[in-house]
Amino acid sequence: MDFGSVLNALILGVSIASIWLIAALGLTIIYGAAGVINMAHGALIMLGAYSSYMLQHYVGVPYLLCIPASFVIVAIIGLILERGLIQYLYDRPLDTLLATYGVSLVLVQGVRLIFGSDPKYLAVPEIFSSNISLGFANISTFRVVVIAVTALLVLALWILFYKTRFGIQVRAVMQNKEMAASFGINSSRIYMMTFALGAGLAGVAGSLFGVLNIVLPTMGDSYVVQAFLMVVAGGGTLAGTVIASGFTGELQSVFAFITNDTFARFVIFLLIVVFLRFRPQGLFAKGGVRR
Amino acid sequence: MNTKTSAKGVGTDSETTMGNPYHNKTAQWIAYALFFLALAAIPFSVDDDFLLNQLATYGVYGMLALSISLCWGFGGILNLGQGIAFGLGAYGMAMTMQMQTQTAENPIPPIMLNNGLDYLPFLWWPFQNTVSGLIFAVGIPTLFCAVFGRIMFKARVSGAFFAIMTLAMLSAFYTIILDQQAYTGGVNGITPPSPLQLGSFQIDPYSPAAYWTVFFALLIATVIAKLITQSSFGLVTQAIRDDAERVRFLGYSVSSYETTIYTISGLIAAVAGCLWVMVVQYVSPAQLDVGLSISMVIWAAIGGRMSLLWAIIGAFLIQGGQSYLGDAFLSTWLLILGGFFIVVVRFLPNGLASLVEAGLGMLASKPKETSFREPSGVKPVPSE
């Protein structure tokens, strides 16, 4: 257990954290703003991967352009979903959870019918498939790309939520929907936009996960629970999710270094449940009247 | 004492206002009796052992839907991790049945030998004896629910939050069972080589005996659950579902009620887990899969979570549909199920039961409509 391998584990931790975080970003937006437990998030991640695959395979779009394109495609799907179903269920949070699970069943099975259950692969530019060596630590270039994209997205979201008019409106609706409405903010439209935004972020995550793993109809399922834990542990705020993901990523890497990957996941899940026992509101509880 | 009288008041109130037989207690008990009589008639008319075995597994699913209905429909606690109690119960039973086939000269089950373990791990000790094995198989999951429920409800974790916590625990258990291959058989699980032996009596899964065991377990669980919902305890639980804060201000310990109903529901699921292994002679981490636990909620939701009987029927309908329509529609079955589920959640939050409720209500009110208009000073409080 020398210094180099510990450092390596810590750097790998950053990479794991970025994966946890990017999977949870869209959920944070949707849960934080609208209080919707979106069980279809995994299916939206999967759709992001499949849209990238389709664009790349049938249209020949270069991979780096597939990422924003997936954002747009999945955001549109999210928009349709919100208008067609979610908007009727905002005052029934448990029912949104169930309805979105139904949506995820339909989406996963629909994709399986169209594309089959055999794995698809996303091709990436040559430079991404190499390794970066920092002397003491080794990390694949693509993982660095994931970290970079995640950091960019967090920055963009921060600017969007704290520096723009739209962000102020979203936060106003988050804190008190009725009061915001009385100031002329169309809360229904805000919910619609945030849902589409959250879905789009799932699309980006999917186009990245499609490279890290293989593209399968069920690929999103495993991310849903862990993404929720990040959101819940973070308290539904952007900063909370970032910090919760950072911590758990590092912890998982360290535990995996000591024991093995599966056991590390078990310990993490258990620790989060214990943590939430003592701090049910999460790391940073948001102000406001919801809940 | 005070709780008793107030509970009585509410009960009689809704009883005298009926007109809709759906809300009539006597009518409800008659419906339950007819349902179980129909189930009891099945072994006499079915000669196919395979079919009987399949129907027994439906009975187990019915028990699971019942447990969800009790916890979610009546307690307002959405539990997406019922697979924990079900799975742990199933593993306990499988371990018991496995140990029954181990002899003195061959005391170590093959899953351990195959994984390089040449002694019986301490985790397996209680299951060497059938009686203690069964006690542990039901007791451990129940204890888990009591402890976990107490921890969560004391911290006032509720609603969707609790649902996610149960989901997290379920994933944690799934992961650890998958990981600890030498103790649990890993992804392959445990396949006990012979049926459950109770004393000198062997319960062959493909015999009416297995069906009757499941039948009586379902019957007893349903009657107990129904009695619970009609007791004053059940009424307080339902009040917590509707407005936990108000009940807390009335001086009730909300977390104790929540923990109790959650634990009872877990106990039923644990028994269902035991019966499931008795019927299929097999257990694997798939019993703790997130999908299965959410399916249990779907059964109860489509049937009608506010009605124990309809939750059971929901499980029968969907699992039956899966077996029979699933073959015909093959890959589109999940599509149909998902779509159906969305429609039910969106338009029929109380499931198919609410159709029956509305239908019976119309039948009952039609002839009396003119005369019943005025004197309805005893209208029940509208439920939200």
Side-chain angles (χ1 to χ4, degrees):
Chain A
M1 225 219 257
D2 57 317
F3 179 70
S5 51
V6 173
L7 205 63
N8 208 354
L10 289 181
I11 290 177
L12 192 67
V14 176
S15 170
I16 296 175
S18 70
I19 293 170
W20 287 69
L21 177 54
I22 201 165
L25 270 184
L27 268 186
T28 312
I29 309 289
I30 293 173
Y31 177 75
V36 170
I37 310 278
N38 180 20
M39 291 295 283
H41 193 72
L44 293 175
I45 289 178
M46 177 271 297
L47 286 181
Y50 272 91
S51 3
S52 286
Y53 167 79
M54 256 165 43
L55 287 172
Q56 192 174 61
H57 200 75
Y58 297 109
V59 191
V61 180
Y63 176 70
L64 283 180
L65 283 180
C66 286
I67 300 177
S70 301
F71 177 88
V72 175
I73 294 172
V74 182
I76 292 171
I77 295 170
L79 197 73
I80 297 168
L81 190 60
E82 203 275 345
R83 282 294 98 180
L85 179 68
I86 313 290
Q87 64 158 327
Y88 304 106
L89 300 171
Y90 280 122
D91 46 349
R92 289 154 49 188
L94 286 185
D95 284 350
T96 51
L97 193 160
L98 297 174
T100 48
Y101 184 76
V103 169
S104 116
L105 275 185
V106 170
L107 289 179
V108 170
Q109 193 58 30
V111 166
R112 189 179 285 141
L113 279 183
I114 298 169
F115 294 97
S117 299
D118 49 322
K120 307 276 187 273
Y121 300 92
L122 281 174
V124 286
E126 199 63 31
I127 39 164
F128 288 172
S129 42
S130 59
N131 271 338
I132 293 180
S133 177
L134 299 169
F136 43 83
N138 246 321
I139 185 166
S140 87
T141 315
F142 192 76
R143 283 179 172 261
V144 178
V145 174
V146 175
I147 297 173
V149 172
T150 311
L152 268 177
L153 285 179
V154 171
L155 184 68
L157 285 176
W158 183 77
I159 292 174
L160 180 68
F161 279 112
Y162 293 93
K163 299 288 166 194
T164 66
R165 194 178 165 74
F166 173 74
I168 293 174
Q169 292 182 340
V170 173
R171 284 184 295 137
V173 172
M174 266 165 81
Q175 285 182 4
N176 193 327
K177 187 181 155 196
E178 281 72 30
M179 196 57 86
S182 69
F183 277 89
I185 297 172
N186 184 346
S187 62
S188 157
R189 203 171 142 265
I190 295 289
Y191 281 165
M192 183 181 83
M193 303 291 282
T194 46
F195 198 91
L197 177 63
L201 290 170
V204 173
S207 58
L208 296 173
F209 293 166
V211 179
L212 286 173
N213 296 314
I214 45 178
V215 181
L216 277 175
T218 51
M219 66 180 279
D221 294 358
S222 57
Y223 293 104
V224 185
V225 176
Q226 74 174 45
F228 265 123
L229 287 181
M230 291 307 95
V231 176
V232 168
T237 60
L238 187 58
T241 306
V242 172
I243 291 181
S245 309
F247 261 113
T248 36
E250 286 296 346
L251 276 179
Q252 188 180 0
S253 179
V254 169
F255 283 133
F257 180 67
I258 300 168
T259 59
N260 68 55
D261 226 23
T262 345
F263 197 74
R265 279 177 75 90
F266 171 73
V267 175
I268 293 286
F269 279 17
L270 224 54
L271 281 181
I272 293 176
V273 170
V274 172
F275 167 75
L276 285 166
R277 159 65 183 86
F278 292 104
R279 230 185 128 70
Q281 71 274 39
L283 278 173
F284 301 110
K286 54 178 187 260
V289 293
R290 193 185 298 290
R291 213 131 81 78
Chain B
M1 202 63 245
N2 197 11
T3 59
K4 198 100 195 183
T5 47
S6 73
K8 197 84 199 264
V10 175
T12 46
D13 203 29
S14 56
E15 224 170 328
T16 46
T17 53
M18 40 122 239
N20 186 348
Y22 185 85
H23 296 133
N24 184 320
K25 266 186 204 168
T26 322
Q28 286 174 0
W29 281 108
I30 292 172
Y32 280 61
L34 288 177
F35 177 71
F36 278 99
L37 277 178
L39 291 187
I42 286 175
F44 299 108
S45 52
V46 171
D47 207 21
D48 183 352
D49 285 345
F50 175 77
L51 184 63
L52 211 55
N53 177 269
Q54 200 177 26
L55 291 174
T57 61
Y58 294 170
V60 173
Y61 297 138
M63 265 178 98
L64 289 170
L66 171 83
S67 73
I68 293 285
S69 167
L70 188 64
C71 176
W72 178 39
F74 290 91
I77 302 162
L78 178 54
N79 177 6
L80 297 179
Q82 196 69 307
I84 300 173
F86 177 65
L88 292 185
Y91 266 94
M93 185 64 151
M95 284 151 93
T96 310
M97 282 163 71
Q98 178 71 46
M99 289 317 292
Q100 283 182 343
T101 62
Q102 303 299 329
T103 51
E105 57 269 20
N106 179 24
I108 312 292
I111 55 164
M112 279 152 218
L113 298 175
N114 294 344
N115 286 290
L117 212 63
D118 54 2
Y119 60 94
L120 193 68
F122 131 91
L123 202 68
W124 278 66
W125 287 353
F127 301 97
Q128 284 167 299
N129 176 289
T130 303
V131 175
S132 90
L134 291 179
I135 292 173
F136 271 79
V138 176
I140 289 176
T142 312
L143 189 69
F144 167 80
C145 287
V147 172
F148 179 72
R150 174 119 189 116
I151 290 174
M152 284 293 136
F153 296 126
K154 263 281 169 194
R156 299 200 183 169
V157 174
S158 63
F161 231 70
F162 182 76
I164 294 187
M165 289 295 100
T166 53
L167 211 51
M169 280 316 293
L170 180 67
S171 299
F173 271 105
Y174 179 83
T175 320
I176 196 75
I177 287 180
L178 203 60
D179 185 53
Q180 298 299 311
Q181 224 179 68
Y183 300 94
T184 62
V187 68
N188 296 321
I190 304 167
T191 311
S194 63
L196 178 69
Q197 193 87 36
L198 285 179
S200 58
F201 192 66
Q202 195 180 47
I203 301 183
D204 182 3
Y206 292 92
S207 71
Y211 180 90
W212 284 115
T213 314
V214 174
F215 171 84
F216 280 111
L218 182 63
L219 175 65
I220 293 167
T222 311
V223 170
I224 291 176
K226 186 71 185 160
L227 288 174
I228 287 174
T229 61
Q230 290 182 349
S231 67
S232 59
F233 167 82
L235 283 169
V236 175
T237 320
Q238 290 173 62
I240 291 172
R241 171 196 66 200
D242 294 337
D243 194 336
E245 216 49 26
R246 194 174 284 186
V247 177
R248 188 172 288 129
F249 288 158
L250 286 174
Y252 291 97
S253 164
V254 168
S255 68
S256 317
Y257 280 88
E258 286 177 324
T259 308
T260 310
I261 196 84
Y262 174 68
T263 308
I264 294 171
S265 150
L267 170 68
I268 296 175
V271 174
C274 293
L275 294 175
W276 197 80
V277 174
M278 184 195 82
V279 172
V280 302
Q281 249 188 11
Y282 156 81
V283 70
S284 78
Q287 271 62 66
L288 288 106
D289 186 56
V290 170
L292 177 66
S293 286
I294 300 185
S295 298
M296 301 173 196
V297 174
I298 294 185
W299 301 332
I302 288 186
R305 62 193 157 114
M306 312 285 255
S307 158
L308 300 170
L309 183 62
W310 274 96
I312 299 173
I313 296 176
F316 287 0
L317 285 180
I318 293 172
Q319 285 311 106
Q322 182 143 356
S323 308
Y324 293 97
L325 298 179
D327 289 342
F329 292 102
L330 277 172
S331 44
T332 48
W333 165 251
L334 275 178
L335 215 58
I336 299 169
L337 179 64
F340 190 51
F341 185 51
I342 296 171
V343 171
V344 167
V345 171
R346 166 80 175 82
F347 297 104
L348 278 180
N350 290 334
L352 297 174
S354 54
L355 288 181
V356 177
E357 182 183 4
L360 286 175
M362 254 150 66
L363 279 180
S365 64
K366 223 165 212 164
K368 298 179 194 163
E369 203 171 17
T370 42
S371 66
F372 229 79
R373 220 51 209 244
E374 270 313 301
S376 55
V378 269
K379 266 248 154 77
V381 194
S383 54
E384 34 107 43

